[in-house]
Amino acid sequence: MQRRHELSDIEWEFVRPLLPVSLRARKRLDDRTVLNGIVWKFRALGRPLAFTVTDGTTNDCTQSTAVMDAIRVPRPGPGRPRIRPDHVLGDKGYSSRAIHARLRQRGVGHTIPERTDQIRNRLRRGCRGGRPPVFDKQLHEQRNVVERCFNRLKQRRGIATRYDKTAGSYPAAVALASLLMWARR
């Protein structure tokens, strides 16, 4: 009988090939029991495509290039994975010339609102201020899916409070939580 917050058989079959093989003579603990303990520790739908982990004082927008480069979406059947999203939705924190230029260079559509200081500076410059970037308000309203994904990740206490302090264990916890979010869909 499967208890709440335990891996189902389908999830276990999804995760089992990703586990390392023990090269020592010592017998390992039951991997499924260990993972059930980790899942219970996190307890908690959005589906993250990529993430980076930084210290708490780093601005999110500085990592946009690293996250965009980390995206790999497998294609059904043979072929290379997709590395370029169709469209990016962002909040005002991602409204910079560098991010807009990078997305345009890669041919990625984007809907990111302008900050009020950018609007004010553009209007102050008059005709030399350029055109405002295209902004689709209805499309931007779909950004709540991104926020809900963050909230689902943060429902897992170990991720929200960052119990795992090392540079290796915290990204592993986020990756496992993301993997489980994908598997439960």
Side-chain angles (χ1 to χ4, degrees):
M1 180 176 117
Q2 178 185 341
R3 290 182 288 183
R4 191 171 168 216
H5 303 302
E6 286 188 353
L7 293 174
S8 68
D9 292 335
I10 295 169
E11 291 169 339
W12 172 243
E13 291 305 318
F14 185 74
V15 172
R16 185 171 39 187
L18 303 173
L19 297 174
V21 177
S22 177
L23 300 177
R24 298 181 194 166
R26 198 172 92 204
K27 189 175 184 309
R28 288 170 45 126
L29 294 173
D30 179 32
D31 289 330
R32 188 167 184 171
T33 304
V34 172
L35 282 177
N36 280 337
I38 293 170
V39 169
W40 183 84
K41 177 183 166 189
F42 291 142
R43 305 192 276 289
L45 253 325
R47 296 161 22 167
L49 295 175
F51 65 89
T52 59
V53 177
T54 62
D55 58 3
T57 59
T58 303
N59 194 333
D60 292 346
C61 70
T62 61
Q63 298 300 309
S64 66
T65 302
V67 171
M68 292 294 292
D69 291 342
I71 293 175
R72 301 279 184 270
V73 180
R75 296 180 190 271
R80 295 182 319 211
R82 287 188 58 204
I83 58 172
R84 186 175 63 93
D86 295 328
H87 203 88
V88 171
L89 300 173
D91 61 10
K92 289 183 179 184
Y94 292 89
S95 180
S96 73
R97 285 185 183 168
I99 292 174
H100 284 282
R102 171 97 168 127
L103 293 172
R104 274 195 302 274
Q105 176 188 9
R106 289 187 69 186
V108 177
H110 54 280
T111 302
I112 303 172
E114 271 188 300
R115 293 190 315 260
T116 53
D117 66 324
Q118 291 174 326
I119 294 170
R120 187 176 54 245
N121 290 337
R122 184 175 38 78
L123 293 175
R124 180 180 49 80
R125 295 188 69 198
C127 63
R128 292 176 296 145
R131 295 182 311 191
V134 176
F135 181 72
D136 184 353
K137 191 170 184 169
Q138 285 182 323
L139 189 57
H140 188 260
E141 288 175 358
Q142 294 178 8
R143 191 175 180 289
N144 69 62
V145 173
V146 176
E147 294 300 330
R148 286 197 317 254
C149 177
F150 285 131
N151 290 336
R152 284 187 199 104
L153 278 173
K154 288 182 178 181
Q155 283 177 356
R156 301 167 188 273
R157 187 184 323 171
I159 291 174
T161 58
R162 198 165 179 164
Y163 286 149
D164 300 313
K165 301 293 184 193
T166 64
S169 62
Y170 185 72
V174 174
L176 178 61
S178 301
L179 181 77
L180 291 173
M181 289 169 72
W182 272 91
R184 288 187 175 149
R185 270 258 157 153

